[in-house]
Amino acid sequence: MILLRSFPLSLSIFWRFLLVLPLWTAFYLVITVFSVFGSLMLIGSNLFVTLLAMIVIPFAITAIVYIISMHPYLIGIRIGLRVLGFRTDPSQKRLLIGATGYGLLEAIVAFIFTSILFAGSLILLRSEVGLLTALQVDPTVDPIATLSRELAFGAITVLSFLSAVAVMALRAAILPALANFAAGRSPNGVSYSSIDGFGSNLITMMALLLMITGISAVIIPFAGDAFGYLGLTNVLTNELGDIVLFVFDDKDVSFTMLHAFMVAAAILVSIWLFCLQCAGAALSYASRAAQSAASRNAAVEAQHARSEDIGALLRSRMQKHQK
C-alpha cells in the first residue's frame, strides 16, 4: 500500500521541494567551498598543521558529505508530512542539527559495513575474488546511484553489490526515524528519542529503494553524458565539489544546449526519485500513526466494554438484593 501511495504523494512533494531546493543548494555550495578551500589553506601552512590536517580533513569532509546527504531528506519528508496533514516542527536549526547527527551516524555505520565487507573479501582472496576486485568499492553515499550505474553499465561486482545493498538497507532503516524527527514527535504523539522508528516498515522501505534503483538503471542509458547527474544525493555531494573545482580552475569545456537540456532533465528526474523516497518515509509515519490511533481506540473501547460489564453486574446484584 505504501509503494502505491508513494507515487502520487511524491508528485505533491516534488513541486514544493523545487521551490526550496535552490536556496538550500546555495547553502550546500557554500559549505562545499569552505571545506575545499579551507582544506587547501590548512595543508599549505606549517608542517604540524599540514600533518594534522591530513588526518582530520578526510573525516571532516566525509562528515560534511553525509550531513549534506541527510538534510534534504528531512526537508522532503517534512513536506510530505504536511501534505498528509501532520503538524511538523518548523525549526530549520533543528533540521540542521538532526542532519548532522544522522549523517554522522550513517557515516560511522557505513564505514563499519564497508570495513567488514572488505575484510571478508580478503578472506575470499584464496578463491575467485582478486585483490583488484576487492578494492573496487566506491564510497556509497548514494547507494541507489552507485548500484543503478553498475547495473546499467554491467560493471557490478560481488563486493560492490554487497556494499551498496548494505548501505541501502541502512538508509531504508533510517528513513522512518527521519520521519519521526521531521515531525517532531513519534506517531503515537508522545516524546521520543532520535532513533525511534529506526527499522520500521523495513521490507517495504527496502522494496521502495530497490524499485527506485531499477527505475534509475533503466533511465541511465537514455541520459547520455548526463548520467552522472542521476541521483540527487550524488549531485549535492560529488557534483557540487566538481563544480567548485571547475569554476576556480577555469577549465575549458565544450558545453552545448543539448547537454544542458539533458543535465536539467536528469536533475529533475533525480529530484522526483528522491521525493519518492521521502514520500515512502512520510507514508510509513502515517501508517504507524494510524496503527497507534487504532490501538488507542481499541483500548478505549475495551475499557468502555469492561465498564459496561461491571455496571451491568452491579445492577444485577442490586436487583437480586432488593428481591
Side-chain angles (χ1 to χ4, degrees):
M1 191 65 178
I2 291 179
L3 292 178
L4 294 177
R5 295 178 61 193
S6 295
F7 285 92
L9 180 58
S10 68
L11 297 177
S12 298
I13 297 173
F14 175 73
W15 70 266
R16 294 172 171 86
F17 193 74
L18 285 177
L19 297 178
V20 299
L21 183 60
L23 177 62
W24 285 112
T25 301
F27 173 73
Y28 303 148
L29 187 60
V30 170
I31 294 178
T32 303
V33 169
F34 274 105
S35 64
V36 171
F37 288 96
S39 303
L40 295 177
M41 291 176 62
L42 287 175
I43 292 177
S45 55
N46 58 64
L47 179 61
F48 175 76
V49 175
T50 298
L51 292 176
L52 182 62
M54 291 178 66
I55 297 174
V56 175
I57 286 174
F59 294 98
I61 291 179
T62 301
I64 291 174
V65 166
Y66 275 92
I67 290 169
I68 293 176
S69 71
M70 284 290 106
H71 186 255
Y73 278 107
L74 291 172
I75 296 175
I77 293 171
R78 187 172 67 173
I79 293 174
L81 290 173
R82 288 178 176 175
V83 172
L84 292 174
F86 292 97
R87 290 188 301 172
T88 61
D89 193 319
S91 173
Q92 298 294 343
K93 179 180 178 181
R94 183 175 172 276
L95 288 191
L96 287 172
I97 295 174
T100 303
Y102 286 112
L104 292 175
L105 173 64
E106 186 176 74
I108 293 171
V109 178
F111 174 76
I112 293 173
F113 280 167
T114 304
S115 299
I116 293 174
L117 289 170
F118 180 75
S121 69
L122 294 180
I123 297 175
L124 295 174
L125 286 177
R126 298 180 180 179
S127 58
E128 298 180 357
V129 179
L131 180 59
L132 292 178
T133 303
L135 294 175
Q136 291 176 359
V137 181
D138 296 326
T140 49
V141 177
D142 192 343
I144 293 177
T146 300
L147 187 57
S148 61
R149 291 178 190 178
E150 291 175 348
L151 290 172
F153 295 116
I156 193 168
T157 64
V158 174
L159 187 57
S160 63
F161 174 80
L162 292 177
S163 178
V165 169
V167 180
M168 189 182 297
L170 174 62
R171 186 69 56 86
I174 206 172
L175 280 174
L178 293 178
N180 281 23
F181 191 89
R185 64 186 62 83
S186 62
N188 56 15
V190 299
S191 59
Y192 69 104
S193 66
S194 297
I195 61 173
D196 280 352
F198 184 86
S200 300
N201 303 113
L202 179 61
I203 295 178
T204 301
M205 298 306 298
M206 189 65 181
L208 177 64
L209 297 189
L210 289 173
M211 180 184 67
I212 295 173
T213 301
I215 296 174
S216 299
V218 172
I219 294 175
I220 283 176
F222 300 97
D225 294 336
F227 76 90
Y229 293 88
L230 283 172
L232 181 61
T233 303
N234 174 70
V235 171
L236 293 176
T237 53
N238 297 334
E239 300 303 329
L240 278 184
D242 293 342
I243 290 173
V244 171
L245 293 176
F246 166 75
V247 171
F248 286 91
D249 283 350
D250 194 23
K251 294 180 180 178
D252 295 328
V253 63
S254 58
F255 196 77
T256 64
M257 289 300 298
L258 177 60
H259 181 70
F261 173 79
M262 295 299 294
V263 169
I267 292 176
L268 288 176
V269 171
S270 298
I271 294 173
W272 171 66
L273 293 177
F274 180 83
C275 292
L276 195 55
Q277 299 178 57
C278 297
L283 288 170
S284 171
Y285 183 93
S287 174
R288 288 178 283 129
Q291 292 175 0
S292 297
S295 298
R296 288 196 301 269
N297 292 336
V300 170
E301 291 177 359
Q303 181 64 33
H304 184 66
R306 284 195 296 268
S307 299
E308 289 183 346
D309 292 340
I310 293 174
L313 180 60
L314 290 176
R315 287 191 296 270
S316 176
R317 288 182 176 180
M318 290 178 63
Q319 291 174 357
K320 290 182 179 179
H321 181 70
Q322 291 175 355
K323 293 180 178 178

